Amino acid sequence: MFSINNMAISNIVSTLTQLGTELAISNERLTTGLRVNRAVDDPSGIVALSNFNAEIARIDARTTNGTRINSIIDTADGAMAEIEDLLDTIDAAVTSASGDPANLATYQATIDTALNSIDSLVSTTSFNGDTLLNGGIGYTVTGVNSSELANVRVHSLDTASGDVSLEISTVAAAKAEIAYSGGTLIDDVTFTITGPSGSQEFNFATGTARTTIAIVVNAASAQTGVESEKTDYLYFRSTEIGFDQTVSINVTAGTFNMLDGTTSDTGTDVGVTINGAFAATSGNIAHYSSGNTAIDLTAADGFSGTATITVSGSGADWSLGSSASDRIYFGQSSLSTSVLGDANTGLLSSLDSGGTNDLASGNFTAASDIAELAKSQVTSDRARIGAISSYAVTCSLNAYADAKTSLTTAKSAIEDLDYVAETANNNRLQLLIQMGTTLLATLNQSTTNILSLLGSS
């Protein structure tokens, strides 16, 4: 009995099986466009791909959050721009009314309509149900004593751990001040007073009393920015406080002795520290900005001492991501007519019909000053949210885009298929299988023939 052990056929079958497996993998890669479809394709690469995918997902989530924040800011900014235009309308109406008193009612109607429109914008401007301009995304400040502080506006503060107490210490601002130390004039006197608004020459005859001098100097305050008061001495002071306020006197004739020989002086700004850190000041106004904290406030005239206030609420509670470093601390105070302006200059709502500064009151200068102050407050808030959009959000979005590009490139180097190389490999495998199949068929035929011959013998 004869036995044929055809090892060649067995080897070819084994090789064809391996080639078939490789061709199936190649076909899958060409179909999916990926070099790595399962862990067995690249065990170490699959770990890197998992990390890349997780980081890209985090970047996509941050990008979505950032885009949403910018949409909120755009909504608020658009409404603020409308409010600015309305404030310009109010200021123009006040200016026109001052030169056209016969039509006060018409101008007042314009002002009333503009004020109502501002309050309407404030109450209706919202994004996804959150109101933006009525203090709904602002901080709550308690403990403010009007004899110490006013107009406290918290723009940003980290309140994630709860309410924050702020200790505010102030040294009162001062006017520029000089003083005449003598009494009734002993001879004819001529002097020039110069203040922040300009200069004015005064002439007084022998025997003029200090009270009379004060009255005459005060009558020219609009031209000089200097006022006078007679107490123990005859004082000449700037009408406003602050480092930019000055007063000086130049005596060109007669005897007019100044206290301590001082003929000029400069005012001082209020000194303010918040929890021990110095704030930038101008007059009675202080602005503090450091890290995640930004606060504006006005010190009461003459107040020197320490006040403690408490800030609560989370502000806008904006976050680009889940970590604390991704959070944006921001609070938007109300822009309603009952809030815009301040206690010293006046509130915007006072320009409404029946208000203390409506056109019928004749307080045109005060009304204009209030409108200008309100606009500066709105403009300041617009600039603040614009800075957040530009420097905090958009810069982050740009960085995220760059990071995603780098991660995607690194991921592609591991995962994506080289189509040219894989197509060549696929063609090679198909050719080898065809050749192997042909060879196997030939060997099978040869074996059959041999067996047939042996059977015949």
Side-chain angles (χ1 to χ4, degrees), residues 245-314:
Q245 300 297 307
T246 60
V247 61
S248 64
I249 187 170
N250 179 30
V251 180
T252 55
T255 304
F256 202 76
N257 297 322
M258 303 303 294
L259 183 64
D260 297 326
T262 302
T263 58
S264 64
D265 190 32
T266 300
T268 59
D269 295 327
V270 64
V272 175
T273 61
I274 298 180
N275 285 355
F278 284 99
T281 59
S282 176
N284 272 341
I285 299 173
H287 173 70
Y288 176 79
S289 180
S290 177
N292 292 323
T293 304
I295 301 171
D296 288 336
L297 59 87
T298 302
D301 286 343
F303 173 64
S304 292
T306 299
T308 301
I309 63 175
T310 300
V311 182
S312 58
S314 58

Side-chain angles (χ1 to χ4, degrees), residues 8-333:
I9 292 176
S10 178
N11 288 337
I12 291 174
V13 171
S14 177
T15 300
L16 286 172
T17 301
Q18 178 62 35
L19 290 172
T21 301
E22 291 181 17
L23 181 60
I25 294 173
S26 178
N27 287 334
E28 181 183 35
R29 287 175 174 173
L30 288 171
T31 300
T32 63
L34 302 176
R35 186 183 72 86
V36 181
N37 290 287
R38 56 181 62 83
V40 70
D41 294 336
D42 188 347
S44 60
I46 211 74
V47 174
L49 288 174
S50 178
N51 292 334
F52 287 150
N53 287 333
E55 186 59 29
I56 288 172
R58 283 192 288 269
I59 288 175
D60 286 342
R62 291 189 180 102
T63 299
T64 299
N65 289 342
T67 302
R68 177 180 179 275
I69 292 170
N70 269 347
S71 296
I72 295 173
I73 289 175
D74 287 344
T75 301
D77 182 60
M80 287 181 179
E82 292 293 335
I83 291 174
E84 282 185 330
D85 289 343
L86 289 167
L87 289 169
D88 285 339
T89 298
I90 291 172
D91 197 14
V94 171
T95 301
S96 297
S98 64
D100 185 13
N103 291 305
L104 289 187
T106 300
Y107 296 121
Q108 185 63 56
T110 299
I111 292 173
D112 292 346
T113 300
L115 293 174
N116 289 334
S117 297
I118 290 173
D119 283 334
S120 178
L121 281 169
V122 168
S123 63
T124 59
T125 301
S126 64
F127 187 92
N128 196 28
D130 294 328
T131 53
L132 305 179
L133 303 181
N134 68 346
I137 59 172
Y139 296 93
T140 300
V141 182
T142 56
V144 177
N145 187 328
S146 60
S147 65
E148 301 171 340
L149 305 173
N151 309 316
V152 180
R153 294 163 64 88
V154 180
H155 303 295
S156 65
L157 186 66
D158 182 358
T159 56
S161 299
D163 296 353
V164 176
S165 292
L166 300 176
E167 186 176 88
I168 302 172
S169 298
T170 69
V171 176
K175 297 180 178 182
E177 179 184 274
I178 55 179
Y180 166 61
S181 59
T184 300
L185 299 185
I186 60 175
D187 54 11
D188 295 344
V189 172
T190 299
F191 59 75
T192 299
I193 293 287
T194 301
S197 300
S199 299
Q200 182 72 38
E201 184 180 77
F202 299 93
N203 298 284
F204 297 100
T206 302
T208 302
R210 292 180 298 174
T211 301
T212 301
I213 296 174
I215 293 172
V216 174
V217 170
N218 285 333
S221 286
Q223 289 74 43
T224 61
V226 175
E227 60 188 8
S228 184
E229 180 187 19
K230 183 263 178 185
T231 55
D232 48 344
Y233 299 107
L234 177 60
Y235 290 95
F236 302 98
R237 304 187 183 100
S238 57
T239 54
E240 305 293 336
I241 60 174
F243 183 72
D244 59 348
Q245 300 297 307
T246 60
V247 61
S248 64
I249 187 170
N250 179 30
V251 180
T252 55
T255 304
F256 202 76
N257 297 322
M258 303 303 294
L259 183 64
D260 297 326
T262 302
T263 58
S264 64
D265 190 32
T266 300
T268 59
D269 295 327
V270 64
V272 175
T273 61
I274 298 180
N275 285 355
F278 284 99
T281 59
S282 176
N284 272 341
I285 299 173
H287 173 70
Y288 176 79
S289 180
S290 177
N292 292 323
T293 304
I295 301 171
D296 288 336
L297 59 87
T298 302
D301 286 343
F303 173 64
S304 292
T306 299
T308 301
I309 63 175
T310 300
V311 182
S312 58
S314 58
D317 197 20
W318 290 340
S319 182
L320 293 170
S322 57
S323 65
S325 61
D326 289 328
R327 186 174 179 186
I328 296 174
Y329 300 94
F330 173 74
Q332 175 59 56
S333 300

